[in-house]
Amino acid sequence: MIIVLKPEATKAEVDAILARIASQGLKPLHLPGTEKIVLGAIGDERVLVKLGLEALPYVERVVPILEPYKLAGRQYRAENTVVRVGSVAIGGERPIVIAGPCAIESREQLLATARAVKAAGADLLRGGAYKPRTSPYSFQGLEEEGLKLLEEARAETGLGVVTEVVDPHDVDKVSRSADMLQIGARNMQNFALLKEAGRARKPVLLKRGMSATLEELLMSAEYLLVEGNTDVVLCERGIKTFSSATRNTLDLSIVPLVKSKSHLPIIVDPSHATGIRALVLPMSLAAIAAGADGLIIEVHATPETAQCDGMQQLTPPQFKELMAEVRRLYPVLSVRRS
Ligand code: PEP
Ligand code: MN
């Protein structure tokens, strides 16, 4: 960390800061200049955050050198993390696909969709039992009944299930039914929920908030990791931009960037990123080409009857085609990924 002091800082003030740096176990540096006084701290500067040095009247600027995240960073762990959900390895040799309806609407709808995605080769089943909806008048999900239906779909198909938890008080309950907890875009910075999910003994799929930076996404992952949950998978699901052509703007460049800065796997959700069924296949292929560790795709047995996100949910034949295209593309890229 570099600390730039205002020229009027006195020797006593300089010494006070140097002493505070040393008190945290870091090596203080003093680089007096003619125009500015520059101090440095050598060591893991992140412990200095709590000192609040930037608030001192004689401090002009504090410039961190290290990334603010620690456990999520490549410096902490050089090799890729592989997250296991049952027998499915996310971040391993090949990209995985999570598929299923936006929301669980009925037993028939969930089971028909689960059978279809299983037959097409999906690795895990998704389905929302608790739906965070923009409008309080929209369908909010079947809640506990939905969790039971997910258990039934798992028993029948053998697919592990991924479902969203929206309330910290529900983490235990959802963990009992789910194989992987999903934290949605709207809750990426719900820190109480992150702490609770960090204590859960289930892998977490952490979706990027629609206005979150890469650093904010990794800091949210840090909340899970610091609580002891190391099974964290990130998900790019589109961000808000000026463009209204698609529901969100798929920010694919974050995939290789996350991979360079973090050891955590990252998957892509082209369904919520585009909101348009016809764009899900091409954006899925683009995501895999960019190095994503997998996809999460909304599929509905009859999208025309869907209670939410009907425009973006694939039909079973469309999903089958997507799986075939992904399988065709991936081997071509495998040399680059090794
Ligand atoms: C979802 O995947 O069900 C969902 C609500 O997505 P997001 O949180 O990305 O909006
Ligand atoms: Mn949806």
Side-chain angles (χ1 to χ4, degrees), residues 238-254:
I239 52 172
K240 291 233 182 273
T241 67
F242 62 86
S243 172
S244 55
T246 48
R247 182 175 178 179
N248 291 287
T249 296
L250 180 56
D251 181 19
L252 270 188
S253 55
I254 204 169

Side-chain angles (χ1 to χ4, degrees), residues 100-101 106-119 125 153 156-157 299-302 316:
S106 69
R107 184 167 182 273
E108 297 65 39
Q109 172 251 10
L110 181 65
L111 292 181
T113 310
R115 286 179 200 125
V117 301
K118 165 79 180 181
L125 175 68
E156 190 188 309
T157 61
V299 182
H300 194 294
T302 52

Side-chain angles (χ1 to χ4, degrees), residues 132-184:
R133 304 304 301 281
T134 303
S135 164
Y137 308 116
S138 300
F139 176 57
Q140 303 284 313
L142 296 183
E143 305 188 341
E144 283 184 44
E145 188 193 337
L147 296 178
K148 294 285 161 264
L149 293 174
L150 279 175
E151 289 180 23
E152 194 179 336
R154 173 178 48 213
E156 190 188 309
T157 61
L159 293 173
V161 299
V162 184
T163 197
E164 180 162 355
V165 55
V166 297
D167 184 327
H169 301 106
D170 286 341
V171 168
D172 277 347
K173 183 168 61 188
V174 177
S175 296
R176 283 194 287 276
S177 298
D179 297 289
M180 183 178 218
L181 302 174
Q182 178 173 321
I183 296 194

Side-chain angles (χ1 to χ4, degrees), residues 15-309:
D15 289 344
I17 295 197
L18 293 173
R20 287 178 80 178
I21 292 170
S23 75
Q24 299 302 311
L26 278 79
K27 187 170 171 222
L29 280 184
H30 184 196
L31 311 162
T34 47
E35 311 254 321
K36 305 249 182 224
I37 306 162
V38 178
L39 309 183
I42 299 178
D44 193 339
E45 64 191 23
R46 286 169 285 214
V47 299
L48 298 182
V49 169
K50 58 178 182 282
L51 296 184
L53 297 177
E54 59 285 338
L56 295 172
Y58 47 91
V59 170
E60 188 176 290
R61 222 158 8 115
V62 172
V63 187
I65 307 292
L66 294 177
E67 310 287 9
Y69 43 85
K70 193 168 169 178
L71 304 176
R74 279 265 180 220
Q75 283 143 332
Y76 176 76
R77 188 183 146 98
E79 63 277 23
N80 291 337
T81 287
V82 177
V83 173
R84 288 182 200 281
V85 183
S87 60
V88 177
I90 309 179
E93 288 294 301
R94 66 171 182 91
I96 60 90
V97 179
I98 305 170
C102 177
I104 302 156
E105 297 164 9
S106 69
R107 184 167 182 273
E108 297 65 39
Q109 172 251 10
L110 181 65
L111 292 181
T113 310
R115 286 179 200 125
V117 301
K118 165 79 180 181
D123 297 284
L124 295 166
L125 175 68
R126 64 151 288 149
Y130 297 86
K131 293 304 300 174
R133 304 304 301 281
T134 303
S135 164
Y137 308 116
S138 300
F139 176 57
Q140 303 284 313
L142 296 183
E143 305 188 341
E144 283 184 44
E145 188 193 337
L147 296 178
K148 294 285 161 264
L149 293 174
L150 279 175
E151 289 180 23
E152 194 179 336
R154 173 178 48 213
E156 190 188 309
T157 61
L159 293 173
V161 299
V162 184
T163 197
E164 180 162 355
V165 55
V166 297
D167 184 327
H169 301 106
D170 286 341
V171 168
D172 277 347
K173 183 168 61 188
V174 177
S175 296
R176 283 194 287 276
S177 298
D179 297 289
M180 183 178 218
L181 302 174
Q182 178 173 321
I183 296 194
R186 289 156 193 80
N187 272 318
M188 190 203 82
Q189 287 187 316
N190 179 339
F191 301 117
L193 180 62
L194 292 172
K195 283 183 190 171
E196 223 30 67
R199 291 182 205 120
R201 300 276 76 89
K202 283 289 154 93
V204 176
L205 178 62
L206 176 64
K207 299 189 86 173
R208 179 187 185 185
M210 52 270 274
S211 306
T213 63
L214 179 151
E215 194 171 292
E216 287 162 345
L217 173 63
L218 292 179
M219 288 308 282
S220 290
E222 195 79 12
Y223 267 87
L224 297 164
L225 296 168
V226 82
E227 292 294 339
N229 194 339
T230 52
D231 292 325
V232 178
V233 176
L234 308 171
C235 178
E236 159 60 26
R237 47 78 72 208
I239 52 172
K240 291 233 182 273
T241 67
F242 62 86
S243 172
S244 55
T246 48
R247 182 175 178 179
N248 291 287
T249 296
L250 180 56
D251 181 19
L252 270 188
S253 55
I254 204 169
V255 171
L257 258 182
V258 159
K259 293 214 146 279
S260 70
K261 293 183 179 291
S262 175
H263 51 86
L264 297 173
I266 178 163
I267 68 169
V268 169
D269 174 350
S271 306
H272 292 93
T274 64
I276 300 172
R277 185 174 300 120
L279 300 185
V280 173
L281 171 54
M283 292 302 100
S284 294
L285 298 179
I288 299 299
D293 294 298
L295 301 166
I296 179 166
I297 309 285
E298 285 192 341
V299 182
H300 194 294
T302 52
E304 64 282 4
T305 67
Q307 301 223 36
C308 58
D309 291 354

